[in-house]
Amino acid sequence: MPPLHLLLALAVVTIWGSNFVIIKLALTKLPPLLFAALRFTFALLPAMWFLPRPKVPWTQLAAYGLLIGAGQFGLLYIALTGHITPGLASLVIQTQVFFTIALAMWFSGERPRGVQGLALLLAGGGIGLIALNTGGETRVTGLALVLCAALSWAAGNIVATRAKGVNTLAYVVWASAWAIGPLLALSLAVEGWPAIRASLAVAGPEVWAAVLWQSWGNTLIGYTAWAWLLARHPAATISPLALLVPVVGMSSSAWWLGEPLPAWKLAAAGLVIAGLGLNLLAARRRA
């Protein structure tokens, strides 16, 4: 890979990894469900005016928008309101890889291979280690919420696999339209109009910058750059770099927010990343 292409890939990984710290900071001002609704509103606008609607059934876009919007990000944002640290959230959410494999096998009737089983055991050991050390900033509730968010992300991945030959960025942008309504309705029902009005009244430039970072930085810039790289290099070359996302997430949380990194947390990260890496290596060898 040319050095500039590698730098671009590392920039995307840095954006995605540091995203968890940005979420945590924004949640000090905005309720989680409202924050998620704003994220998808600005992911849709104004990009929808420049990207044609992908030629897939609207039911598929709706399913993807609900699973990724209300499911993945809604649950993740709630978890980050004091139930789990950003660093651990960036690690645990990566279990979506194993949930995706499990769902794909369930639908196809395929059985897991030996290497996949070993990879799952490694990652499961890391999650178990986190569960044994819950308390304080990380609670069982937070761990469960992020695991549910990962499962919802995996279900969204399964839905997206049915969209063949479409522009990935346009697919994500137009699916955002189906996330906004449910998230706003849930925000009104759970968080209430007084909390929404009060948070919007005090939201300063840094809050709106965080919302735009979520919408444009992660979605528009991140997805566009990653798709550009995948179009020019084999997936086996680009995909392993995604293993750095939880590394960036945990290190940036430790640096900016002072999240402690005790030995058990580093061991859990090592187990989960080893499981992800082993699964990726097995897929690469099969390819």
Side-chain angles (χ1 to χ4, degrees), residues 11-211:
V12 175
V13 167
T14 302
I15 289 172
W16 286 344
S18 61
N19 179 49
F20 295 85
V21 172
I22 304 298
I23 293 171
K24 181 67 175 179
L25 294 174
L27 287 172
T28 61
K29 301 292 185 182
L30 292 174
L33 294 172
L34 174 64
F35 183 24
L38 291 172
R39 178 197 191 280
F40 285 96
T41 299
F42 287 102
L44 178 66
L45 300 172
M48 63 176 293
W49 305 117
F50 303 99
L51 295 169
R53 180 184 178 276
K55 294 180 179 180
V56 296
W58 68 267
T59 51
Q60 187 182 127
L61 288 174
Y64 185 83
L66 286 170
L67 288 166
I68 300 300
Q72 180 191 345
F73 283 97
L75 293 172
L76 176 63
Y77 287 6
I78 292 172
L80 284 170
T81 56
H83 301 290
I84 193 170
T85 60
L88 280 181
S90 72
L91 177 69
V92 175
I93 196 71
Q94 303 306 320
T95 58
Q96 61 87 14
V97 171
F98 297 103
F99 284 126
T100 302
I101 293 171
L103 289 174
M105 288 182 172
W106 184 53
F107 285 117
S108 66
E110 182 183 353
R111 292 184 178 182
R113 295 178 174 86
V115 176
Q116 289 175 323
L118 179 58
L120 180 59
L121 283 176
L122 286 171
I127 298 301
L129 190 55
I130 295 172
L132 289 174
N133 288 275
T134 52
E137 288 186 296
T138 297
R139 306 170 186 171
V140 175
T141 305
L143 180 60
L145 284 169
V146 179
L147 286 173
C148 289
L151 176 58
S152 189
W153 184 1
N157 289 339
I158 298 299
V159 172
T161 58
R162 300 176 183 175
K164 304 295 184 181
V166 301
N167 184 310
T168 303
L169 180 60
Y171 186 89
V172 171
V173 166
W174 280 89
S176 298
W178 302 96
I180 299 168
L183 285 168
L184 282 176
L186 286 169
S187 180
L188 284 168
V190 176
E191 296 160 349
W193 172 245
I196 294 173
R197 181 176 57 189
S199 63
L200 291 176
V202 299
E206 72 284 356
V207 174
W208 293 109
V211 172

